[in-house]
Amino acid sequence: AQRVTQPEKLLSVFKGAPVELKCNYSYSGSPELFWYVQYSRQRLQLLLRHISRESIKGFTADLNKGETSFHLKKPFAQEEDSAMYYCALRTSNFGNEKLTFGTGTRLTIIP
Amino acid sequence: KAGVTQTPRYLIKTRGQQVTLSCSPISGHRSVSWYQQTPGQGLQFLFEYFSETQRNKGNFPGRFSGRQFSNSRSEMNVSTLELGDSALYLCASSSTSGGTNEQYFGPGTRLTVT
């Protein structure tokens, strides 16, 4: 069965320091991965997806099929990056498609 | 464009009762997905409706059901409520089915079962 693991429930980083949010997945098919973010008192929203290969708000994520990982990185953390981050895996199983989310990592940027 | 709306925002029900939650997607979106969010299990996919048909389904019991109307508004029904059904129920709309394109989430309905 498919699974998304975010090993860190909480992560605190100083402003200006690099950030890495870990995401590992388990899936026998061809994975499509996403990062969603929820800022305080806002709705869950898409941050980026691996097929886009783009940088959003300074964040990047590279799909590593060998390590089955999709870690989210930013070289210099900013205070506005404090939020809840969810990694999600899109799977298709006999035509049944869905997003499977990790349990999330709460990122706190220390001023 | 108006965002995804969910009603009601808060609900308190008693064990054994049933409940209906509503979700109005972004105009033009034909896909509505439902998720249950709890502190212990995180976000779990319930089901997705696209053009009035259930397209995809998670691993929830038959007490959880849904439907979608011709205007793409969707309802989710939970029958014979259990204490463990207390959760934040999120819906998300998208222009396509299956989660490939960006899903836009609503604010959620907080259901408390006593």
Side-chain angles (χ1 to χ4, degrees):
Chain A
Q2 62 276 1
R3 184 163 50 206
V4 177
T5 304
Q6 293 180 251
E8 303 136 330
K9 277 194 169 179
L10 303 170
L11 182 64
S12 295
V13 173
F14 283 100
K15 179 181 171 182
V19 176
E20 183 178 48
L21 297 164
K22 290 186 167 51
C23 172
N24 288 91
Y25 66 91
S26 170
Y27 179 50
S28 57
S30 184
E32 285 186 54
L33 284 132
F34 306 80
W35 276 99
Y36 277 80
V37 61
Q38 187 167 26
Y39 300 103
S40 179
R41 288 186 288 278
Q42 293 188 29
R43 303 177 184 196
L44 194 60
Q45 58 186 282
L46 179 67
L47 180 61
L48 54 79
R49 65 189 104 182
H50 91 269
I51 57 173
S52 304
R53 294 182 154 273
E54 56 192 345
S55 173
I56 303 292
K57 299 185 180 184
F59 284 98
T60 58
D62 290 318
L63 176 60
N64 186 324
K65 290 187 179 180
E67 295 183 0
T68 60
S69 69
F70 187 57
H71 302 328
L72 184 67
K73 298 177 184 178
K74 184 170 182 176
F76 307 104
Q78 297 172 287
E79 288 185 63
E80 54 265 33
D81 296 330
S82 292
M84 193 75 179
Y85 291 81
Y86 294 92
C87 182
L89 167 70
R90 178 179 176 272
T91 61
S92 180
N93 187 19
F94 296 103
N96 192 40
E97 299 171 323
K98 64 177 186 176
L99 278 181
T100 298
F101 284 82
T103 49
T105 297
R106 182 169 298 283
L107 175 65
T108 301
I109 306 302
I110 304 165
Chain B
K1 267 187 184 177
V4 178
T5 58
Q6 291 186 245
T7 56
R9 293 294 310 279
Y10 302 91
L11 207 46
I12 299 175
K13 289 286 188 178
T14 304
R15 219 170 9 171
Q17 287 186 315
Q18 74 160 8
V19 67
T20 299
L21 311 181
S22 179
C23 173
S24 292
I26 289 172
S27 178
H29 283 187
R30 292 157 64 191
S31 164
V32 174
S33 296
W34 287 91
Y35 296 86
Q36 182 194 65
Q37 187 175 29
T38 59
Q41 300 294 322
L43 266 166
Q44 292 186 283
F45 174 73
L46 280 151
F47 34 65
E48 179 199 6
Y49 283 84
F50 185 85
S51 295
E52 302 179 64
T53 303
Q54 187 180 89
R55 280 283 185 93
N56 300 296
K57 195 174 182 314
N59 302 322
F60 278 78
R63 298 186 298 108
F64 291 82
S65 63
R67 60 178 176 168
Q68 187 178 34
F69 302 94
S70 58
N71 61 358
S72 293
R73 188 178 70 86
S74 177
E75 287 182 348
M76 188 191 88
N77 184 274
V78 188
S79 62
T80 320
L81 283 166
E82 300 176 1
L83 295 179
D85 297 333
S86 294
L88 181 67
Y89 290 88
L90 294 171
C91 77
S93 80
S94 178
S95 55
T96 58
S97 176
T100 300
N101 280 355
E102 180 171 358
Q103 295 198 343
Y104 294 83
F105 283 82
T109 294
R110 171 79 59 190
L111 172 65
T112 302
V113 181
T114 61

